[in-house]
Amino acid sequence: MSTVWPIMLRVWLASGSSRRGKMLEEIFPNLVCQALEGVDESAEPAEVSQQVLEIAKKKSQAIEKNIDFDLIIVSDTMLADPDTDDASIGKPTDEVDAAMMLHRLSGRRHRVWSSTGIYFSGSWNFFTDCAIVEIKQLSDEELVELVLSKSWEGKAGGYDLAGEMSKYAKLVDGDESTVLGIAGSAMELLNELAINS
């Protein structure tokens, strides 16, 4: 008697983010993580929710139509400036930039936006969600420790909520996955697809 095995989805996470990869490897064991090269990640001046969606769409447009995957995921994450939703905070370029970002966020709440595109059954769907994070007032020693830990590298706002910053920050509203790089509503759909595949 032969056994019929479920067909596993061929899934590509078009991102170099280790945090996104870790979240998705838990539900898609055959996940391929490979970042896109040469995508223009700039956005027109607008509210951060629109900027992050624009960049996610640019990433989706950079993917060839004949790629041999059942499911493709692109995502982008940005922080809104604590003072205005019209200004974004991206990834720090060096230690000085990281220190400046963390100092700006210290002792305050801010919004984190993630926009995630999912390609499945021949079409793209985009999900854009917001979460609110509060960071305690960081001492000079704590700020230096965070910068020297290198946990800011490649992270919007210069921190990783599931990493070193977990000692100093808390999620006030929204989904943790939104802060870590995948829109919460997109994560719900991905979980459903994983269960039903």
Side-chain angles (χ1 to χ4, degrees), residues 70-196:
D70 302 306
L71 180 64
I72 303 172
I73 302 148
V74 297
S75 202
D76 195 70
T77 302
M78 282 185 176
L79 275 66
D81 188 292
D83 294 323
T84 173
D85 281 338
D86 290 334
S88 61
I89 298 176
K91 300 171 187 174
T93 54
D94 55 28
E95 290 184 348
V96 173
D97 200 21
M100 288 173 64
M101 284 184 186
L102 292 172
H103 185 266
R104 182 157 184 73
L105 298 172
S106 174
R108 309 176 78 183
R109 290 185 177 186
H110 61 273
R111 294 182 189 276
V112 181
W113 290 91
S114 279
S115 188
T116 302
I118 298 173
Y119 181 83
F120 186 67
S121 295
S123 63
W124 283 97
N125 287 297
F126 290 87
F127 305 82
T128 303
D129 293 324
C130 172
I132 298 175
V133 174
E134 181 177 275
I135 296 177
K136 81 173 197 73
Q137 189 70 45
L138 299 169
S139 68
D140 291 344
E141 291 78 12
E142 289 166 340
L143 191 60
V144 168
E145 180 185 313
L146 283 167
V147 172
L148 292 179
S149 75
K150 302 285 188 185
S151 59
W152 53 269
E153 290 183 338
K155 304 292 190 303
Y159 73 87
D160 179 2
L161 186 65
E164 289 295 312
M165 184 57 87
S166 63
K167 296 182 282 188
Y168 312 111
K170 65 178 179 180
L171 183 67
V172 176
D173 188 43
D175 295 305
E176 185 180 38
S177 67
T178 298
V179 183
L180 298 180
I182 296 176
S185 52
M187 200 67 191
E188 288 178 22
L189 176 59
L190 292 168
N191 275 305
E192 286 177 22
L193 291 172
I195 290 167
N196 295 321

